[in-house]
Amino acid sequence: MREKNNIDMKKFIPIAIPSVGSHEERAVINVLRSGQLAQSEYVYAFEKAFAQYTGSKYAVATSSGTTALHAALLSLGVGKGDEVITTPFTFIASANAILYTGATPVFVDIDEKTYNLNPTLIERKITKRTKAILTVHLFGLPADMEAINKIARKSNLLLIEDACQAHGAVIKNRKCGAIGDIGCFSFYPTKNMTTGEGGIITTNKKALWEKLKLIREHGMKIRYHHDSIGYNYRMTNIEAAIGIEQLKKLDTFNRKRISNANFYIKELKNIKGIVLPYVPKEYMHVFHQFTIRVTKDFALTREQLVDHLRKEGIGTGIYYPIPVHLQKAYKNIKKSSRFPVAEKAANEVLSLPVYPQLSKKELERIVSVIKNV
Ligand SMILES: *Cc1c(COP(=O)(O)O)cnc(C)c1O
């Protein structure tokens, strides 16, 4: 029999846990014993493997997804006076990276079903200052790249993919991060694969690759000759060694995430007031998050459901409770319109645990608690 309101009676299921094991441990020990802790051979090997995995020619590893985005924008020449179109429904780093360059983020509302940029709303936001579109593949679902790419080509705009939640996600055999001009990934511990902290940039353009390496390393090609102002955005060998092992497991991780998601979809369909994730045809969603909507037709409010699940020993997450344009930090950033779809999503979304190590028993427990509300 289930003990009510007693978290200690059963193992708490958190919203996410990184999947690292003995392979990663051994790899880290090898680096520590080598004495080469900072960026060198492990980082270059990881970049090669990641580029190959995504189908990109080049990859540049960085210290985080945020620094990947910043470096990517700089390499494309985005700066003061430029506008970059992006989504208000994302982790704040997507928009912050635009601000770091001196450019202005111009928000475009999302599609209600996919949570990604709504391509039909983009063109009216293009001005003569618009330089790029920064699209996010939120929760692991690729954005509508066909439509967005068409708009970018037509208006001669650069296209940046924030693939920080979409490692291995695919549209018609093309991997996210290798579709636009440049792709950025994060390896934070909750992402589909991790290096602790870390990020990477993918591109097919050699000139961008060369620029990115300078931006990452204080504008230095020859030791202590600094031809431009850069940063220290390097990844360590320790992180890269973890990344090499994680990349080998990424497809297995993603398959497990998808199978967990399919279990939820099968079990939670037809519950009044619960809206399940939508996956367009020929899109592979890698379920960085399994995100439902809790609408006013559900028996509990979203906040009551969060509470109830927590009392039953189940962790959840709200990604994201406040869209970027409504953040205090953005109160002085000019917004040219309202974003009702993003605001509604922020009020309704709820993410359930979907990480690869979840057992069938745990999934069944989560489903049964929701069904019995
Ligand atoms: C995680 C994330 C980032 C930032 O990555 P960090 O490694 O945490 O700096 C950027 N954009 C999105 C959409 C993310 O989910």
Side-chain angles (χ1 to χ4, degrees):
M1 283 299 293
R2 179 180 299 136
E3 291 277 335
K4 271 252 150 85
N5 300 337
N6 192 340
I7 293 168
D8 291 331
M9 290 305 289
K10 54 201 167 221
K11 208 175 114 227
F12 189 79
I13 306 172
I15 177 67
I17 333 180
S19 314
V20 289
S22 55
H23 297 103
E24 289 80 0
E25 285 174 18
R26 237 173 295 138
V28 167
I29 288 169
N30 287 341
V31 174
L32 294 178
R33 290 182 180 159
S34 77
Q36 304 283 319
L37 307 192
Q39 177 185 297
S40 61
E41 296 314 316
Y42 282 87
V43 172
Y44 308 136
F46 179 47
E47 290 175 339
K48 226 172 160 177
F50 200 86
Q52 190 172 19
Y53 177 82
T54 55
S56 305
K57 283 202 183 117
Y58 309 101
V60 176
T62 58
S63 53
S64 72
T66 306
T67 55
L69 285 163
H70 184 205
L73 289 161
L74 291 174
S75 74
L76 293 168
V78 173
K80 206 168 155 44
D82 294 330
E83 293 175 355
V84 179
I85 286 172
T86 195
T87 164
F89 196 57
T90 179
F91 179 55
I92 197 154
S94 317
N96 277 357
I98 298 167
L99 287 176
Y100 300 158
T101 69
T104 307
V106 172
F107 297 113
V108 165
D109 210 353
I110 56 168
D111 176 86
E112 176 139 22
K113 273 160 55 186
T114 65
Y115 303 109
N116 285 324
L117 266 183
N118 182 342
T120 66
L121 303 177
I122 292 177
E123 275 185 308
R124 69 190 74 164
K125 294 290 187 78
I126 296 174
T127 70
K128 52 184 189 312
R129 289 173 171 248
T130 311
K131 178 114 178 186
I133 301 172
L134 192 159
T135 182
V136 181
H137 307 299
L138 200 73
F139 304 142
L141 175 66
D144 184 350
M145 291 304 284
E146 210 167 321
I148 295 169
N149 211 6
K150 213 179 262 172
I151 295 163
R153 296 298 149 248
K154 187 174 150 202
S155 300
N156 204 17
L157 304 177
L158 297 158
L159 183 51
I160 302 127
E161 291 175 73
D162 179 341
C164 288
Q165 303 187 357
H167 320 63
V170 171
I171 309 174
K172 295 184 189 167
N173 300 324
R174 290 185 77 187
K175 285 223 170 74
C176 286
I179 303 170
D181 293 290
I182 207 162
C184 299
F185 295 82
S186 162
F187 301 120
Y188 187 74
T190 55
K191 309 284 162 131
N192 295 45
M193 61 174 280
T194 186
T195 62
E197 294 273 6
I200 207 163
I201 305 157
T202 48
T203 185
N204 285 320
K205 299 195 168 131
K206 189 162 188 206
L208 291 181
W209 180 53
E210 302 286 358
K211 270 193 208 163
L212 287 165
K213 287 188 290 180
L214 291 176
I215 292 164
R216 173 175 66 179
E217 198 143 23
H218 284 300
M220 183 169 77
K221 210 183 279 173
I222 303 165
R223 213 153 179 71
Y224 306 124
H225 293 244
H226 304 276
D227 300 343
S228 53
I229 299 294
Y231 301 81
N232 173 1
Y233 281 174
R234 292 185 301 265
M235 175 181 274
T236 64
N237 266 357
I238 304 166
E239 291 164 328
I242 300 172
I244 289 167
E245 297 308 317
Q246 287 272 295
L247 184 60
K248 293 179 196 163
K249 304 176 183 176
L250 177 59
D251 285 340
T252 310
F253 289 161
N254 281 342
R255 270 196 296 275
K256 193 72 203 321
R257 284 176 181 274
I258 292 165
S259 126
N260 292 347
N262 287 338
F263 180 77
Y264 279 134
I265 289 168
K266 180 166 69 94
E267 295 292 323
L268 299 177
K269 67 168 184 255
N270 304 326
I271 298 185
K272 205 167 162 238
I274 298 278
V275 180
L276 295 168
Y278 164 76
V279 186
K281 261 208 207 80
E282 299 189 88
Y283 279 48
M284 179 178 157
H285 191 322
V286 293
F287 291 99
H288 167 62
Q289 298 294 348
F290 184 86
T291 303
I292 62 173
R293 279 177 188 265
V294 183
T295 72
K296 59 180 186 335
D297 296 327
F298 190 65
L300 302 176
T301 66
R302 176 180 65 175
E303 279 60 31
Q304 285 169 332
L305 180 58
V306 168
D307 255 15
H308 180 65
L309 286 163
R310 193 180 50 239
K311 284 183 189 135
E312 293 286 343
I314 299 160
T316 56
I318 294 175
Y319 311 108
Y320 295 91
I322 306 172
V324 180
H325 67 281
L326 296 179
Q327 296 286 350
K328 267 193 201 142
Y330 277 68
K331 66 178 189 295
N332 296 326
I333 309 286
K334 198 182 120 238
K335 294 118 201 157
S336 50
S337 57
R338 290 191 58 249
F339 311 98
V341 185
E343 288 174 24
K344 183 155 177 265
N347 287 327
E348 293 182 345
V349 288
L350 179 66
S351 298
L352 304 175
V354 73
Y355 54 87
Q357 315 92 301
L358 275 173
S359 67
K360 189 79 195 277
K361 263 214 164 93
E362 290 173 317
L363 284 165
E364 279 167 354
R365 204 174 103 204
I366 298 165
V367 159
S368 118
V369 169
I370 297 173
K371 276 181 169 170
N372 289 326
V373 162

